[in-house]
Amino acid sequence: MLGSGRWHAEQAWLGHRSENVLIDVTSGRIEAVTAGVTPAPHDAVVLKGWTVPGFANVHSHAFQRLLRGEIESGGGDFWEWRDRMYSFAEWDPADYFNHGRLVFREMVEAGITAVGEFHYLHGHGNELGEALIDAAREEGIRITLIDACYLRGGLDGRPLGPEQMSFSDGDADSWARRMDQLHESDGARLAAAIHSVRAVDPESMRIVATYARERHFPLHVHLAEQQAEVDECISVEGCTPTELLEREGVLGPDLTAVHAIHLTDHDISLLGANEVSICACSTTERDLADRVGPLHALAAAGCALNVGSDSNALIDMLEEARGLELDQRRATGRRVLHQPEDLLRAATVNGMRALGWESGELKPGMLADFVTLEQPRGPWRELSPSYLVYGFSGRDVTNVVVGGETVVRR
Ligand SMILES: [Zn+2]
């Protein structure tokens, strides 16, 4: 991802709409962005349509793509879904590499230039995580491998179920020793995760958070997706999951809380005051019958929002971005809780930051990750975040550049 070259975009989003934009790239980074260049220089690749920063998919479990269309009958709730999901969690490294390639190819074709893989399949030590890194490199997508510590079956300290055993390293120190054997490279970063307050005890949470902070790794956690987790936390710890993370010193601007649905007003103010990022996964949350989180209140409190495809029931960051808003409309009876430009930032620069990448904006110094979209039907329109987020889908992506290298060209 150290490509060089020049691209000439018919229209581009530079924080505002611009025309005839020349993007100069050297060794994978944007060197210059110049609007109003006509005609296109003969050595530039011409991008017809709209060019915007690459999309960040902050939360993915690649293996769960196998569930797509497989578990939409039979009824049940989140916990019953989870039991069925566990039956898809056994892989050998070669199969997982091939599967990862398939999932990541679908992502880059939808304009995703960086993915955060929230990874807890440790049955082969680091081999499945390394298979994901290799698969991402093959398909030209950036990956942040968010390796999750997962130690117990619930807040009361109950042991792991048989289908959860392979997720665990035994204890947090062993998790850290295994993490030490993973390595970053040009297109691959590492991050740490506390799987959830269910799966990690308070002392181990502190070990994981300290490990991440000593290395400047992003830190992620599944938070308050289900009311049952909140109720169990209150009964065992005497506080909500957010308050528990605060008590243990886990909250901070380097933390991304995924879902963050069942929150009190106090939780929202804690998350905002600590500038925690919030990852909404609307299409998965719909699929799993999750409720709608207080995303508007979180943003108002100071949280940056981003989005993820999570179970990969669908892979489309524009659908996630508008879902973040549209799900709240039905829950609140109010429209336009978030401005379209803020939704676009959620799908681009906010997500890139949560994954540890200097990307998500078309400006000098940023990584050269950008995507071009063009609708095959419909009248010609001027680029706007509103029309992009509400009128387009990942299927309208025609060209994708990651680190100055073209990875999709239609
Ligand atoms: Zn998840």
Side-chain angles (χ1 to χ4, degrees), residues 59-61 64 118 120 195 222 225 258-259 281 310-311:
H59 191 72
S60 161
H61 306 282
Q64 292 180 12
F118 196 106
Y120 54 84
H195 176 277
H222 286 125
E225 182 175 10
V258 182
H259 305 304
C281 304
D310 195 357
S311 70

Side-chain angles (χ1 to χ4, degrees), residues 23-308:
I23 305 168
D24 280 292
V25 175
T26 305
S27 301
R29 283 191 186 263
I30 297 173
E31 184 141 302
V33 178
T34 316
V37 177
T38 49
H42 64 89
D43 61 343
V45 178
V46 172
L47 301 172
K48 252 176 73 61
W50 299 356
T51 296
V52 301
F55 302 131
N57 182 4
V58 174
H59 191 72
S60 161
H61 306 282
F63 77 93
Q64 292 180 12
R65 187 188 178 283
L66 271 195
L67 278 70
R68 186 186 294 176
E70 289 294 319
I71 52 158
E72 300 305 336
S73 56
D77 65 6
F78 171 87
W79 304 102
E80 290 164 277
W81 169 87
R82 193 182 69 156
D83 286 341
R84 296 176 71 184
M85 177 269 281
Y86 284 153
S87 66
F88 292 82
E90 287 294 322
W91 294 85
D92 74 53
D95 286 346
Y96 208 40
F97 168 75
N98 289 327
H99 177 76
R101 283 194 63 177
L102 192 107
V103 177
F104 297 151
R105 175 55 24 190
E106 186 175 343
M107 288 185 188
V108 283
E109 288 183 350
I112 295 164
T113 57
V115 58
E117 263 295 319
F118 196 106
H119 177 69
Y120 54 84
L121 307 183
H122 300 133
H124 298 264
N126 280 328
E127 285 186 56
L128 296 180
E130 286 164 346
L132 288 172
I133 290 174
D134 291 344
R137 184 186 307 111
E138 263 331 283
E139 298 302 336
I141 190 172
R142 295 186 193 285
I143 186 170
T144 299
L145 187 72
I146 307 162
D147 196 291
C149 185
Y150 196 123
L151 301 174
R152 63 179 184 177
L155 275 129
D156 58 358
R158 60 186 176 274
L160 296 162
E163 64 292 319
Q164 297 169 318
M165 292 300 284
S166 64
F167 306 161
S168 176
D169 293 288
D171 57 51
D173 289 324
S174 303
W175 168 85
R177 281 197 296 277
R178 185 178 49 71
M179 278 292 283
D180 283 339
Q181 304 305 312
L182 288 164
H183 300 289
E184 298 192 317
S185 56
D186 173 30
R189 290 220 54 183
L190 296 174
I194 294 161
H195 176 277
S196 57
V197 300
R198 294 194 305 277
V200 182
D201 59 277
E203 187 187 346
S204 301
M205 282 177 201
R206 294 196 297 273
I207 293 171
V208 175
T210 301
Y211 183 94
R213 284 171 180 154
E214 284 175 355
R215 290 159 183 78
H216 303 289
F217 287 173
L219 181 62
H220 288 223
V221 62
H222 286 125
L223 181 66
E225 182 175 10
Q226 290 291 323
Q227 186 63 41
E229 174 189 280
V230 178
D231 293 344
E232 194 180 6
C233 191
I234 290 169
S235 104
V236 173
E237 295 288 346
C239 61
T240 66
T242 303
E243 289 166 347
L244 179 59
L245 295 178
E246 161 73 2
R247 191 184 82 194
E248 301 303 328
V250 175
L251 300 185
D254 54 350
L255 180 69
T256 296
V258 182
H259 305 304
I261 292 171
H262 298 276
L263 303 178
T264 64
D265 289 346
H266 185 231
D267 294 337
I268 292 167
S269 61
L270 283 176
L271 293 165
N274 285 282
E275 298 175 41
V276 173
S277 290
I278 305 295
C279 181
C281 304
S282 302
T283 66
T284 295
E285 290 161 3
R286 290 172 196 160
D287 191 40
L288 303 193
D290 294 349
R291 303 294 182 158
V292 179
L295 293 160
H296 175 63
L298 285 162
C303 296
L305 306 183
N306 58 57
V307 292

